[in-house]
Amino acid sequence: MPKVFVPALALVLLVNICSGQSKEKAPPGSKPLKFVKQQIAAESFESVDVFDVNNDKIPDLVSGSYWYEGPKFLNRHYIGEVKRFGEYWDDFSTVPLDVNGDHKIDFVTGGWFGKTLTWRENPGNGQEWPEHRIAEAGNIETTRAWDVDGDGVPEIIPNTPNDSLVIYRLVKNSQGKGTGRFEPHRIMGKHGHGLGFGDVNNDGRGDLLVENGWLEAPAQPFKQTWNFHEDFKLGTSSVPILVADVNKDGLNDLIVGQGHGYGLHWYEQKKDKKSKKSTWLKHAIDLNNSQFHTMHWLDLDGDGQEELITGKRYRAHNGNDPGEFDPLGIYYYKWNGESFTKQIVSYGPFGEGKGAGIYFSVTDLTGSGRKDIIVAGKDGLYVFFNQGSE
């Protein structure tokens, strides 16, 4: 039998491994994440989401007039026309939902200028996606989907600052499938810039948050009145306003960005023991950036704790917002038990840094177990592939 030559370096490594002296990986979350940036489109709409368009079990990107076929996203397919108004494409959300129950994922959108909430029907045959009107909703800042009644199917809720707050509930058939129709439920009148959803008072029901207070969900959200608590003034607040127990004291707090000004804050909920009334103590997270229009609260680094992912929207008001010409950026913030620590995903002037748009996605595109960041905007459509930490 021939002798096997083992290089000295390999022998040292082998000895170290066998003796338990190998270098261990740092625990998740202990070091900053690294990302690899891929440009999908140089110019794009301001909204993007991820879902399986063609039922091949591979995630695709959907943004405005196009969908990009996974896993490489190099093949672009036409969805349909989106009207343009100046610098804006009138497409301010991409909410995935099987609206008509045909097992193909459609999406809900709408815009500020057209004032119409619509859904695009996935034809499943490579043809243009038909557009269907849901409602004349008024100026739509953006739209989100939350399961208000807990039946497993999300409701559609646009932020219409100049008009009434209305929940659009998908009408389902006897098998629980969508019928292509929605029924509106008016919750309150004019409600300002900003919208959120979460259990504010720990009663097990999801409440709605607006710029100047929160609406307490009743036991039957589509039959009973929502009680309004005018507890705060949040300004031109983000969509979403996040509801989360930041400091783990058993009371849910708020995380709020300024969509058209400087500032990112969390509001600590404190409750008087006698009156049971809540007050909100404002804490700064980041005062050095503006236009925190949208955000996510989820576990990005795999340590079992949620991080705050957000960034600066590019040219939200075409040069007229405070900080409009500051460098662009996408960031995540880790809670350290006392405050938030900022980590940079992308940062720099136009062409180098990337803005966050108005609606973005954070999900695992590659099956790596790591969540990637997919961001659209007037400055382009990009994927930031999460490489983990060293």
Side-chain angles (χ1 to χ4, degrees):
M1 181 176 180
K3 293 183 179 180
V4 178
F5 174 71
V6 180
L9 179 59
L11 186 60
V12 170
L13 291 174
L14 181 62
V15 170
N16 285 343
I17 291 171
C18 293
S19 62
Q21 296 177 15
S22 61
K23 185 178 179 181
E24 295 183 359
K25 288 185 178 180
S30 61
K31 290 186 177 181
L33 296 171
K34 291 188 174 182
F35 293 86
V36 171
K37 180 171 71 172
Q38 177 184 338
Q39 183 186 76
I40 307 300
E43 181 187 13
S44 81
F45 305 82
E46 292 196 74
S47 174
V48 61
D49 212 330
V50 177
F51 57 90
D52 183 4
V53 171
N54 53 356
N55 286 336
D56 64 354
K57 303 188 185 309
I58 298 173
D60 308 299
L61 311 185
V62 179
S63 181
S65 288
Y66 303 99
W67 69 274
Y68 302 82
E69 189 174 347
K72 294 185 177 181
F73 314 116
L74 299 177
N75 293 330
R76 187 179 76 169
H77 304 269
Y78 187 61
I79 291 174
E81 180 189 8
V82 175
K83 291 183 179 179
R84 187 162 193 168
F85 296 83
E87 289 190 25
Y88 295 98
W89 294 102
D90 206 28
D91 176 80
F92 289 169
S93 64
T94 312
V95 181
L97 183 66
D98 182 2
V99 176
N100 57 355
D102 65 354
H103 302 289
K104 295 187 288 288
I105 303 300
D106 317 296
F107 70 93
V108 177
T109 184
W112 181 267
F113 302 94
K115 300 182 179 181
T116 307
L117 188 67
T118 63
W119 68 279
R120 287 275 193 178
E121 180 181 355
N122 180 354
N125 57 9
Q127 301 300 310
E128 188 170 332
W129 297 36
E131 184 177 50
H132 304 274
R133 186 182 72 88
I134 298 173
E136 299 299 322
N139 300 115
I140 299 173
E141 188 71 25
T142 184
T143 300
R144 291 299 184 272
W146 293 301
D147 188 0
V148 173
D149 57 2
D151 68 349
V153 178
E155 278 67 50
I156 302 299
I157 312 176
N159 181 207
T160 50
N162 302 320
D163 293 272
S164 294
L165 177 60
V166 179
I167 299 174
Y168 295 89
R169 189 185 192 194
L170 181 63
V171 177
K172 299 180 286 294
N173 62 22
S174 58
Q175 287 77 45
K177 296 180 180 180
T179 62
R181 296 182 295 109
F182 292 84
E183 55 183 21
H185 297 271
R186 184 181 181 275
I187 302 302
M188 70 176 298
K190 187 174 178 179
H191 56 284
H193 190 298
L195 186 67
F197 177 78
D199 188 358
V200 174
N201 56 351
N202 289 337
D203 66 354
R205 297 192 289 268
D207 309 300
L208 286 167
L209 295 99
V210 293
E211 179 273 330
N212 63 336
W214 62 282
L215 292 127
E216 183 179 352
Q220 300 181 70
F222 302 118
K223 294 182 179 180
Q224 297 173 305
T225 301
W226 293 60
N227 186 26
F228 183 58
H229 302 267
E230 196 170 358
D231 282 3
F232 36 70
K233 294 281 187 181
L234 302 178
T236 56
S237 45
S238 52
V239 184
I241 300 165
L242 295 173
V243 180
D245 185 2
V246 172
N247 56 356
K248 310 299 183 187
D249 66 350
L251 298 175
N252 277 334
D253 312 298
L254 311 181
I255 303 175
V256 184
Q258 289 304 304
H260 296 285
Y262 280 95
L264 177 64
H265 298 84
W266 72 281
Y267 290 73
E268 181 183 1
Q269 183 175 182
K270 292 182 172 293
K271 187 164 287 190
D272 184 88
K273 292 182 179 180
K274 291 184 178 180
S275 67
K276 304 298 182 182
K277 180 176 174 58
S278 291
T279 57
W280 303 87
L281 181 60
K282 185 178 180 180
H283 302 274
I285 299 174
D286 189 344
L287 302 180
N288 297 316
N289 292 98
S290 70
Q291 297 168 87
F292 292 104
H293 206 289
T294 184
M295 58 188 66
H296 285 276
W297 178 251
L298 50 78
D299 183 7
L300 184 65
D301 58 17
D303 67 349
Q305 302 296 321
E306 292 88 354
E307 283 75 46
L308 172 64
I309 305 106
T310 184
K312 172 186 169 66
R313 182 182 173 194
Y314 174 61
R315 292 182 66 76
H317 278 163
N318 298 338
N320 297 310
D321 277 342
E324 188 82 67
F325 299 100
D326 292 349
L328 302 172
I330 299 171
Y331 318 106
Y332 71 95
Y333 300 80
K334 286 192 65 65
W335 175 253
N336 62 18
E338 295 181 353
S339 62
F340 284 92
T341 301
K342 183 178 184 177
Q343 303 291 349
I344 293 174
V345 176
S346 178
Y347 180 78
F350 176 79
E352 295 180 17
K354 177 69 184 85
I358 200 168
Y359 185 114
F360 72 106
S361 179
V362 183
T363 192
D364 182 2
L365 290 175
T366 65
S368 67
R370 299 184 296 269
K371 293 183 176 69
D372 310 298
I373 301 174
I374 306 94
V375 191
K378 299 172 189 173
D379 55 342
L381 174 61
Y382 288 80
V383 175
F384 292 86
F385 290 102
N386 185 347
Q387 305 298 294
S389 56
E390 291 184 343

